[in-house]
Amino acid sequence: MPPIRTRNKRKPPPDGFDDIEDTLLEFENKMKDAENAPHEGKRKNEMLWPIFQISHQRSRYIYDMYLKEGITRELYDWLLKNKYADALLIAKWKKQGYEKLCCLKCIQTKETNFGSTCICRVPKARMSKETVVECVSCGCHGCASSD
Amino acid sequence: MSSGYQPFAGHGQKPAAPPPLAPGWTEHRAPTGHMYYYHPETKTSTYTRPVAAPTDPPVPSQQAYPLAGGFQNQNYPKQFDYNRQQRHDNTHRRPRPQEKPDKPKTKRAIPDAAPWLFVTTKKGNTFIHNPETKESLWAVPDGLKDAIEGLEKLSLNEERERERVRRRQSALEKQRQEQEDAMADQEEFDAADQYDYEDEEGDGGIEDGTESHGIKRQVSAAAEGDEPEDEYYDDEDDFDEEHDLKRIRMEQGGPVEFTEDDIDWQLGAMAEQYGLGEEDMEGNEDLAPEDGAFLFKDLLDDLQINPYSTWESEMPKLVEDGRYTTLPTTKLRKQVFSDWCQERIAVIKAEKEKEIKKDPRIAYLNFIEANATPKLYWPEFKRKFKKEPEMKDSKVSDRDREKYYRDYISRTKTSVETRENDLRKYLRTVKDLTRRTDIDNLPTSVSCDIRFVAVPKDRRDSIVLDHIRTLPDDAGTAESSSRDALEKQRRALQDREEAVRREQFYNSKDIARGKEALRETEMEIKRAMNVGKEGLLSHLEPAKEKDPEKDDS
C-alpha cells in the first residue's frame, strides 16, 4: 500500500500558498457539500452541474490569481500539478474565442448528434431574446466570449 | 379636486361641532364624501361652511393663509366660478380639478426675525408665516422688510449655484427624463380615460336624494369626453394632476396602480420633508464613473476585504454599505473589485518583501511555550490546537513539530536548574554568538534550540546575557574579525580577478585559433574554385604531390 500523503506529511507547498489557502478550503467545502447534496427531484443531467460549476470557479480563481500575480509561477504550477485547477480547461481559456468556456465537454463535437458544440457556446446575440439556455452537460447559461 | 383641495382648506376648519348654516344655504354631500354648501339663489357652491358672512358666499370666510391681492383672483375663486359650477351642475358631474391649488413648496427661516418663515408656494407666490402664532401674511410688515430683502439676495445666489449644478447633468440624463415624460404623458391619457369611466359609475352608485337641484343626468357618451379634458391638459403641473387623480380613485376605493411618477412624487415629498434639495437626490446619478470606482475602492479599503478572495464570497459584506451603489451594474463592480485586488496584492507583496524574514520555527516554539503541558500527549495537543495558525504553518514539518513538542515536554519534567545548566553548556558550544549580539535578535542556532526554549523566559535571557558578557575581547575581537573579513574579501577579489584574466587570455587565444582555421579553409575553397583549362585534374596532381610532402612532415 502506498503511503498516504496527508497535508502535514507532504512536502510544504511553495511560498504564497497560505494566502489562497482559505479560499481554496472554501471551494473544497463547497465541493464536498455539492457531492453530498441529495439528488431527489433532480434530472439525471442536473446532478453533476454543481460539480462542474465549482470546479470551473476554482480553476478560474486560480488562473485569475496567477494573472493578477497574486501567486507565483512556481505555486501556480504546483497547484496545477496537484489538481487544484483544471489545467486543460485553463489551456482552452488562453485561446481566442474560448475565454469563458464553461467545461471541456461543451466543445467536444464528437459526442453530439450533429457534430456541433453545445448550445451554451452560441452567442446571446444569435439567439432570440427570451431563450433561456441551460446546457445539458454543466448547466451553463451561455459562455460565448461575446456575451 | 376634492382631495387636491382638502389639505389646503383643512388647516383652519374642521370644527368639532359645526355652527348653524347661514340662511339660504343648503348642505350636501358630494360623491366623494365631502360636504359642500349650495346657495340656490346666487347659484354658488362652496366647500367652506358659510357661517359668519352669508351675503358674500364665493370667498371662503376662513383660510389657512390670508390671501393677498392678485393671488386670490388668480386661482382660488376660480373653482367657485359661477359659470363653471353651473355647467357642472348641469351635467351633474363632480367638479374636476381645473387648477392645482397652490401649496407651500419651500420654507426658509428669515434671519434676524426668529419665528417668521419665508414660504414659497409651488406657483411662485411668496408669503411669510409665523409657526408660533400660526399667522400668515401676504404683505410683509415694515419691520421685516430689510431681513427679507437680505434673504432674497441669498436665495438668488443659491439659485445660481443650483443652475450650475443642473447644467452639469449629462445628455443621457436629459434623454432619460424626456423618455420618462413621454411615458408619463401616455399614462396620464390612460388614467384620464379610466377616470372618466369610473366617474360615471361612481356617480351612478352614490346618487341619492340629497341632490336638491334634481336635475337629471343627461350625459351622453359623446358629451362625456368633450368638456373636461381640454382644460385638463392645459395644466402646468402634469405629475401632480395625475397624482390627484390617483388619490381620488383611492378614496373611491377603486383599484390604484402605482406608477413611476407616483413613486417619484413620493420620493420628492420625502426629500422635501428631510430638507433635501433636488440636487441631493440625484447626487449618485451625477457621479462620473471614475468617481464611482474610486468610492467603491474606498469602500473595499475600509471593510478590509481580503484581496485573495473571490467576488462571490466578499460581495455580501459590501451590499450593506451605501457606497455599493455608486457603480450602476454588478459587472462594473466586479471589474473594479478585480482591479482593486490586483493593486492591493501588489501592495501586500511589496510590504512582505520589506519585512524581515523570521524563522517560522520561532513562532511555533513560542506557541509551545505558552500552551504545552505534560498532561497532553502530542496527538492530543495536535488535535486540540489544530486550528491555530502556528500549527497549520506549512513551513514547519509535522515531524519537526512533534520532535520539538516531545523534547520540550520531557525537559519541562526536569528541574529548572538542570535546564539552566544545559543551556549554559550549550551556549559554550555555540559559535554564532559575539559580544555584540542583541538579545532580541539571537541567531537561530540559539533561539530555535530546545535547550534555550525549555528554560523559562526571564531566566534564560539573563543566562544568555551573562554568557555574552563573558565572551572574550569585546571591541577588539569585533574589530579584528571585521579586519579579517575585509582582508578575506580583498584576497577573494584578487583571486577572482586573476581567474578572470586567465579566462580572458584563453578565450582570446581560442578566438585567434578559430579565425586562423577559418581563413585556411577559406583559402582552400578559393583554390578549389580556381579551375583551369585542365579541369579538375589540375587539382588532383598537386594533391598527389602534396600528400607525400605532408606525410614527410
Side-chain angles (χ1 to χ4, degrees):
Chain A
M1 191 180 143
I4 297 166
R5 296 188 189 282
T6 58
R7 205 183 147 279
N8 289 327
K9 280 184 183 169
R10 71 183 177 199
K11 204 172 118 195
D15 283 341
F17 184 72
D18 299 340
D19 296 330
I20 58 168
E21 197 177 11
D22 289 340
T23 314
L24 289 179
L25 259 178
E26 237 170 70
F27 277 123
E28 206 181 310
N29 292 338
K30 246 196 228 171
M31 186 62 105
K32 271 182 194 160
D33 288 347
E35 280 164 0
N36 296 327
H39 64 273
E40 276 103 27
K42 275 186 184 172
R43 281 185 286 140
K44 195 172 119 199
N45 295 326
E46 263 176 82
M47 289 195 299
L48 284 178
W49 288 359
I51 308 291
F52 275 103
Q53 280 164 11
I54 294 165
S55 123
H56 170 96
Q57 282 169 5
R58 190 167 53 183
S59 298
R60 174 64 76 184
Y61 168 70
I62 288 171
Y63 186 51
D64 274 353
M65 270 296 141
Y66 174 58
L67 291 185
K68 281 182 206 162
E69 300 183 345
I71 56 179
T72 57
R73 174 80 206 209
E74 200 190 358
L75 177 56
Y76 175 66
D77 286 341
W78 184 88
L79 288 169
L80 290 188
K81 193 188 151 208
N82 286 279
K83 309 220 170 116
Y84 280 93
D86 187 350
L88 295 175
L89 183 59
I90 292 177
K92 286 287 173 233
W93 289 343
K94 291 170 185 166
K95 280 174 75 179
Q96 195 186 10
Y98 292 87
E99 287 91 347
K100 292 180 186 170
L101 182 63
C102 56
C103 69
L104 289 170
K105 221 171 161 188
C106 287
I107 49 165
Q108 185 60 269
T109 52
K110 281 179 186 164
E111 286 174 10
T112 53
N113 285 342
F114 295 100
S116 59
T117 55
C118 181
I119 185 73
C120 68
R121 299 293 303 151
V122 180
K124 286 255 162 52
R126 293 289 197 83
M127 282 188 287
S128 59
K129 268 190 180 168
E130 277 82 40
T131 325
V132 177
V133 170
E134 240 182 6
C135 98
V136 174
S137 47
C138 61
C140 172
H141 295 298
C143 56
S145 294
S146 58
D147 287 350
Chain B
M1 157 180 172
S2 55
S3 58
Y5 183 43
Q6 194 187 12
F8 189 70
H11 274 259
Q13 30 239 91
K14 287 203 179 163
L21 282 172
W25 288 90
T26 48
E27 190 178 353
H28 308 281
R29 186 181 290 278
T32 52
H34 293 265
M35 303 303 290
Y36 72 95
Y37 308 93
Y38 182 70
H39 199 273
E41 281 169 28
T42 55
K43 293 201 170 164
T44 46
S45 60
T46 174
Y47 278 117
T48 49
R49 197 179 175 87
V51 190
T55 43
D56 53 349
V59 182
S61 57
Q62 217 182 357
Q63 278 164 353
Y65 307 110
L67 300 172
F71 179 57
Q72 198 172 12
N73 300 332
Q74 215 174 19
N75 342 302
Y76 203 63
K78 244 187 197 171
Q79 304 184 4
F80 306 97
D81 182 45
Y82 173 77
N83 291 326
R84 196 162 291 190
Q85 192 58 42
Q86 187 74 11
R87 194 165 49 180
H88 286 309
D89 289 337
N90 284 342
T91 52
H92 200 272
R93 312 184 81 235
R94 221 160 15 82
R96 290 176 177 279
Q98 262 82 40
E99 190 122 9
K100 270 282 303 165
D102 213 352
K103 281 182 194 169
K105 192 183 172 197
T106 56
K107 265 192 282 189
R108 319 182 59 201
I110 300 171
D112 310 327
W116 287 97
L117 298 173
F118 187 76
V119 186
T120 312
T121 61
K122 277 194 171 171
K123 287 181 180 164
N125 298 306
T126 57
F127 63 91
I128 58 168
H129 175 65
N130 187 343
E132 283 176 16
T133 57
K134 301 217 167 146
E135 217 178 339
S136 301
L137 298 170
W138 286 110
V140 180
D142 293 338
L144 291 173
K145 258 179 189 167
D146 292 342
I148 283 173
E149 269 169 21
L151 186 78
E152 267 164 4
K153 261 182 213 163
L154 258 177
S155 66
L156 248 177
N157 286 342
E158 260 177 42
E159 200 65 34
R160 262 178 229 143
E161 192 69 28
R162 263 184 225 171
E163 200 60 38
R164 220 176 299 145
V165 172
R166 243 171 248 151
R167 243 175 258 148
R168 256 186 262 152
Q169 286 183 338
S170 60
L172 196 101
E173 183 70 14
K174 271 178 203 160
Q175 208 178 341
R176 194 182 67 82
Q177 261 173 0
E178 272 166 28
Q179 276 177 357
E180 241 170 52
D181 282 351
M183 265 175 67
D185 280 348
Q186 185 63 40
E187 268 174 39
E188 199 174 334
F189 269 104
D190 296 345
D193 288 346
Q194 215 173 342
Y195 169 68
D196 280 337
Y197 184 66
E198 277 175 22
D199 200 4
E200 231 178 329
E201 281 184 341
D203 272 353
I206 302 171
E207 196 170 8
D208 53 19
T210 55
E211 307 288 339
S212 64
H213 333 299
I215 302 165
K216 286 207 171 170
R217 285 184 71 182
Q218 298 169 338
V219 193
S220 67
E224 182 81 16
D226 63 6
E227 58 89 3
E229 265 167 19
D230 292 341
E231 309 162 303
Y232 225 49
Y233 296 118
D234 292 342
D235 258 279
E236 39 177 84
D237 207 345
D238 287 348
F239 279 1
D240 284 308
E241 200 66 61
E242 205 205 345
H243 188 77
D244 283 343
L245 273 177
K246 288 271 156 58
R247 260 202 286 186
I248 289 164
R249 261 193 278 161
M250 201 143 53
E251 277 164 18
Q252 287 173 341
V256 175
E257 300 155 54
F258 277 92
T259 60
E260 240 176 271
D261 306 319
D262 279 323
I263 293 160
D264 274 357
W265 184 88
Q266 246 170 354
L267 284 175
M270 274 162 67
E272 246 171 61
Q273 216 174 354
Y274 289 117
L276 293 172
E278 277 173 36
E279 289 77 23
D280 293 328
M281 288 292 286
E282 288 161 1
N284 278 351
E285 289 164 31
D286 288 342
L287 274 178
E290 302 86 47
D291 292 347
F294 183 77
L295 270 175
F296 196 72
K297 282 181 184 177
D298 198 42
L299 162 68
L300 292 170
D301 279 330
D302 282 356
L303 290 183
Q304 307 205 321
I305 298 297
N306 178 13
Y308 289 102
S309 185
T310 54
W311 165 252
E312 283 78 21
S313 59
E314 298 298 323
M315 203 258 283
K317 296 179 198 166
L318 308 175
V319 179
E320 301 287 315
D321 200 284
R323 280 169 288 180
Y324 182 75
T325 51
T326 50
L327 292 172
T329 59
T330 310
K331 206 174 176 184
L332 257 176
R333 282 174 208 140
K334 220 168 158 179
Q335 204 184 337
V336 172
F337 174 79
S338 140
D339 290 348
W340 176 83
C341 281
Q342 194 161 4
E343 288 162 22
R344 186 91 190 95
I345 283 171
V347 171
I348 289 175
K349 246 178 149 181
E351 274 174 14
K352 266 189 189 166
E353 266 168 31
K354 270 186 208 166
E355 227 173 59
I356 307 153
K357 294 224 164 48
K358 228 177 154 187
D359 198 301
R361 285 177 296 173
I362 293 174
Y364 175 67
L365 288 169
N366 286 337
F367 179 72
I368 282 188
E369 234 187 299
N371 294 304
T373 59
K375 285 178 193 164
L376 289 176
Y377 290 117
W378 165 244
E380 291 167 329
F381 179 79
K382 197 169 114 181
R383 201 184 314 128
K384 188 175 177 189
F385 296 106
K386 69 180 173 192
K387 293 267 171 70
E388 302 297 325
E390 287 88 358
M391 295 296 283
K392 282 200 289 188
D393 189 5
S394 54
K395 291 286 172 298
V396 186
S397 73
D398 209 35
R399 194 180 296 160
D400 281 348
R401 267 197 214 114
E402 184 175 352
K403 199 164 154 256
Y404 271 126
Y405 184 77
R406 287 188 190 283
D407 261 1
Y408 183 80
I409 294 298
S410 64
R411 272 171 200 282
T412 46
K413 282 172 185 165
T414 61
S415 69
V416 181
E417 283 76 35
T418 48
R419 277 184 264 162
E420 281 175 11
N421 283 333
D422 278 351
L423 177 60
R424 284 202 195 92
K425 252 184 238 167
Y426 172 66
L427 283 177
R428 261 171 248 145
T429 61
V430 177
K431 283 168 189 161
D432 294 347
L433 286 171
T434 61
R435 186 75 188 220
R436 293 209 173 162
T437 309
D438 186 12
I439 192 72
D440 295 324
N441 279 322
L442 289 172
T444 49
S445 57
V446 177
S447 60
C448 289
D449 195 274
I450 200 67
R451 280 162 283 195
F452 174 76
V453 179
V455 181
K457 201 170 169 60
D458 44 338
R459 305 299 306 268
R460 75 184 178 212
D461 281 358
S462 62
I463 291 170
V464 172
L465 274 176
D466 284 345
H467 175 72
I468 287 173
R469 250 176 244 134
T470 57
L471 284 173
D473 298 356
D474 45 343
T477 48
E479 244 174 55
S480 67
S481 69
S482 69
R483 212 182 300 139
D484 280 353
L486 272 176
E487 184 67 21
K488 217 175 178 184
Q489 224 173 352
R490 206 172 48 81
R491 220 176 296 137
L493 200 70
Q494 265 181 357
D495 286 353
R496 179 71 196 143
E497 270 172 4
E498 188 64 28
V500 168
R501 217 175 295 134
R502 221 175 294 138
E503 191 91 340
Q504 274 177 347
F505 178 71
Y506 287 136
N507 275 353
S508 62
K509 279 227 157 174
D510 267 352
I511 289 167
R513 215 175 294 134
K515 271 183 186 164
E516 188 66 26
L518 199 69
R519 211 176 298 133
E520 241 165 56
T521 47
E522 261 175 16
M523 292 286 280
E524 234 164 70
I525 290 166
K526 215 179 265 174
R527 241 181 281 135
M529 297 291 275
N530 203 1
V531 179
K533 281 180 181 171
E534 304 97 42
L536 289 170
L537 267 176
S538 60
H539 287 294
L540 292 174
E541 288 301 313
K544 272 180 189 170
E545 285 165 18
K546 263 184 194 170
D547 278 345
E549 281 171 27
K550 265 189 187 171
D551 289 342
D552 293 341
S553 62

